[in-house]
Amino acid sequence: MIYYLILLTTGILIDFKDLKTSSKKSDIVFYIIAMTVCAALGVFFFLNPNREGVAEIFVKMFRFGGI
Amino acid sequence: MRDDKVSMYQLAIICILVSIVPIVRYFPISLTDTAGRGAWIGALLTIIPAILLVCVLHELINKIKSKEGKPKNLNNVFDTVYGKVMGKILSFAYLLWILIFVAAQLRFFGERLISTTYIYTPIIFLLTTMLILTFFVARGRISNFGRFAEIFFELFLIIIVFVVIASASNFEIKNVWPVNKQEIMGIPRAILRGTSIFGTLTIGMFFTEKIEDRKNIKKYGIIASVVIAIIGLIGVFVTLGTFGKDLLPTLAQPFFMALKVISVFGVIERIESIFVTFWVVADFILITYNIIVASNICKQRFKLTKRRIAVTPLVFIIFIFAMLIANNFFALQMLFTKFMANINLIFGLAVPLITYVVAKARGLL
């Protein structure tokens, strides 16, 4: 998870110049919300290493054979 | 500085290269599953709905009338035809679908590399490497990306010609002919399944404001459809002709296996390594293209000043989706062939067709 957060921070630093020169509020609002979602999804993923994948859940739900 | 635009010719080439990935991955399996030995007829006939789709997209982008003048891209077309609220809902549905689709393709890319070349490498490393590369390219100029695709396409043509000649020795005519009555009955379903690969043309209409000559959508779109259908046909012939209808649907990597058994007079062998390199580049083009489209949708719908602001969050969301989507290759393949290919058909073909009918009914065309 620590590597993920490092990458996230690096991404923000790369975008910092664009955000600083941006005069529109909507850019910054969008960016903050989107990156918060990314961080939350990342934390959820790395804290649940034994969860089932969407595909496995889907296959069980619709009872496709072969797995 | 020159405007950051691509020509319709370049977009057509990008679409062809993007469609290679599904052709190599699941197209022959999917078609053989429904039409058996008639899969190649299904692959050939996909050209009919593809040309219909291109004509519909051309009409929607170039001929629709709205208060604001000509639409900039498919987002504006949805706004004009369905109204602002429904237009936004459709755009977000496309955005979500692109993210899920790219995540699945990214995961496929990682799983395939692990199963063929880098057996002991953690998948997270492969996915991160690919995403870092696409991140920098998607943030850059679209025109550069278009030129890269143009150059790569020529290399690709050479490889395809070589594969066709080299695989001829393993081709058995009894695997593709005769086609019995039951297999003929399965061809319409095979055509429907095969048409999903042309969804890349629809996705490309989300950045038509970046296309210099959008009047040529029909011309280059039809050329691209023909080329994609021919490559699809080659894909089916190479795999079905080598393995036959009973063995092919059971293989996880049929195209790769077909290349593995190629031997030209015992001198040229193991050419699959060349093709793995090529697959990786095709995957890179697919992922970058979809990120560019998704960021353009974000730019327009969230009223951003620059497209590149949306690229970083999209890349991270795709990474997490790719990790969450499946834990093994077979579940992912089943999810894709049974479910995602059909959704691709809805977004790629059905929605533009319905939009065209509604626009016609409302007198907007």
Side-chain angles (χ1 to χ4, degrees):
Chain A
M1 191 159 78
I2 192 79
Y3 294 115
Y4 179 77
L5 293 176
I6 289 170
L7 277 177
L8 206 71
T9 317
T10 315
I12 294 169
L13 288 175
I14 291 169
D15 284 335
F16 192 71
K17 196 181 148 197
D18 285 326
L19 290 167
K20 220 170 88 177
T21 52
S22 168
S23 54
K24 267 180 104 178
K25 205 179 157 188
S26 61
D27 286 358
I28 296 154
V29 172
F30 166 82
Y31 195 80
I32 290 170
I33 292 172
M35 288 311 259
T36 311
V37 170
C38 293
L41 278 171
V43 170
F44 166 75
F45 166 70
F46 286 104
L47 289 182
N48 296 285
N50 298 323
R51 88 260 163 283
E52 273 192 314
V54 178
E56 285 86 7
I57 295 168
F58 175 82
V59 168
K60 274 185 191 166
M61 211 185 337
F62 291 93
R63 292 181 187 158
F64 291 130
I67 292 182
Chain B
M1 193 187 270
R2 203 171 146 256
D3 275 356
D4 186 19
K5 288 192 172 186
V6 290
S7 64
M8 194 51 218
Y9 171 70
Q10 285 172 327
L11 181 67
I13 284 177
I14 293 171
C15 287
I16 293 167
L17 291 170
V18 166
S19 66
I20 303 302
V21 178
I23 286 174
V24 167
R25 193 167 289 151
Y26 73 91
F27 188 74
I29 300 175
S30 187
L31 266 66
T32 311
D33 203 24
T34 48
R37 273 173 297 201
W40 63 274
I41 303 173
L44 190 65
L45 293 180
T46 51
I47 205 160
I48 299 166
I51 289 175
L52 178 73
L53 173 69
V54 169
C55 294
V56 163
L57 291 174
H58 178 84
E59 295 281 311
L60 286 176
I61 296 293
N62 287 314
K63 303 213 170 141
I64 217 155
K65 298 164 211 154
S66 69
K67 285 173 199 164
E68 296 93 19
K70 272 194 174 179
K72 265 164 57 180
N73 54 34
L74 214 52
N75 285 326
N76 292 118
V77 171
F78 289 150
D79 284 351
T80 312
V81 176
Y82 299 110
K84 293 260 178 205
V85 178
M86 195 58 198
K88 273 186 184 171
I89 291 170
L90 264 175
S91 296
F92 286 124
Y94 266 96
L95 178 64
L96 187 65
W97 170 242
I98 290 170
L99 294 180
I100 295 170
F101 179 76
V102 180
Q105 296 289 358
L106 182 70
R107 183 75 191 210
F108 263 126
F109 152 78
E111 294 282 356
R112 196 184 53 220
L113 272 189
I114 285 176
S115 63
T116 56
T117 321
Y118 300 103
I119 298 162
Y120 302 109
T121 313
I123 194 163
I124 203 161
F125 172 76
L126 296 170
L127 303 191
T128 313
T129 315
M130 174 58 96
L131 278 179
I132 288 172
L133 186 64
T134 52
F135 167 73
F136 285 107
V137 178
R139 278 170 59 87
R141 291 167 66 83
I142 298 175
S143 53
N144 295 350
F145 179 62
R147 273 199 294 277
F148 165 74
E150 220 174 324
I151 295 163
F152 181 70
F153 183 64
E154 286 161 19
L155 189 69
F156 162 74
L157 284 181
I158 298 166
I159 294 171
I160 277 288
V161 171
F162 178 71
V163 166
V164 171
I165 296 166
S167 63
S169 57
N170 296 318
F171 182 82
E172 286 184 43
I173 196 83
K174 70 171 174 26
N175 288 337
V176 293
W177 192 263
V179 181
N180 63 35
K181 198 179 167 189
Q182 198 187 351
E183 288 165 342
I184 291 171
M185 299 299 278
I187 289 174
R189 224 172 130 214
I191 295 171
L192 259 184
R193 280 192 177 188
T195 308
S196 67
I197 60 166
F198 296 95
T200 50
L201 296 166
T202 309
I203 298 293
M205 296 302 115
F206 278 103
F207 68 96
T208 41
E209 77 271 23
K210 305 263 183 203
I211 297 173
E212 276 170 357
D213 50 344
R214 51 195 264 181
K215 284 205 169 99
N216 289 330
I217 289 175
K218 199 188 230 169
K219 183 184 164 191
Y220 288 113
I222 289 174
I223 294 171
S225 306
V226 172
V227 176
I228 292 170
I230 291 170
I231 296 168
L233 188 66
I234 291 170
V236 172
F237 265 132
V238 168
T239 50
L240 185 65
T242 307
F243 299 114
K245 66 171 177 143
D246 298 320
L247 186 58
L248 179 59
T250 62
L251 297 171
Q253 309 276 0
F255 209 83
F256 184 79
M257 300 295 282
L259 294 182
K260 221 169 180 173
V261 294
I262 284 176
S263 170
V264 185
F265 307 118
V267 180
I268 302 170
E269 286 179 337
R270 305 300 304 262
I271 60 160
E272 76 275 7
S273 53
I274 303 168
F275 218 77
V276 166
T277 319
F278 166 75
W279 276 346
V280 172
V281 182
D283 271 316
F284 159 73
I285 291 175
L286 181 144
I287 295 163
T288 312
Y289 170 69
N290 280 286
I291 291 176
I292 288 171
V293 174
S295 60
N296 210 44
I297 297 175
C298 284
K299 185 196 167 195
Q300 202 176 350
R301 287 307 183 191
F302 294 105
K303 296 185 171 54
L304 306 178
T305 47
K306 289 174 190 164
R307 182 181 60 80
R308 56 198 283 177
I309 288 173
V311 171
T312 316
L314 288 176
V315 166
F316 278 100
I317 288 173
I318 288 167
F319 170 72
I320 294 296
F321 279 6
M323 294 308 292
L324 288 173
I325 204 159
N327 287 337
N328 67 68
F329 181 79
F330 294 103
L332 184 64
Q333 186 143 13
M334 198 155 279
L335 178 79
F336 208 91
T337 48
K338 301 269 182 197
F339 180 68
M340 289 179 81
N342 297 333
I343 303 284
N344 212 5
L345 195 65
I346 293 170
F347 281 110
L349 188 73
V351 174
L353 286 181
I354 294 167
T355 309
Y356 179 79
V357 173
V358 174
K360 205 81 176 160
R362 291 188 60 194
L364 296 165
L365 275 167

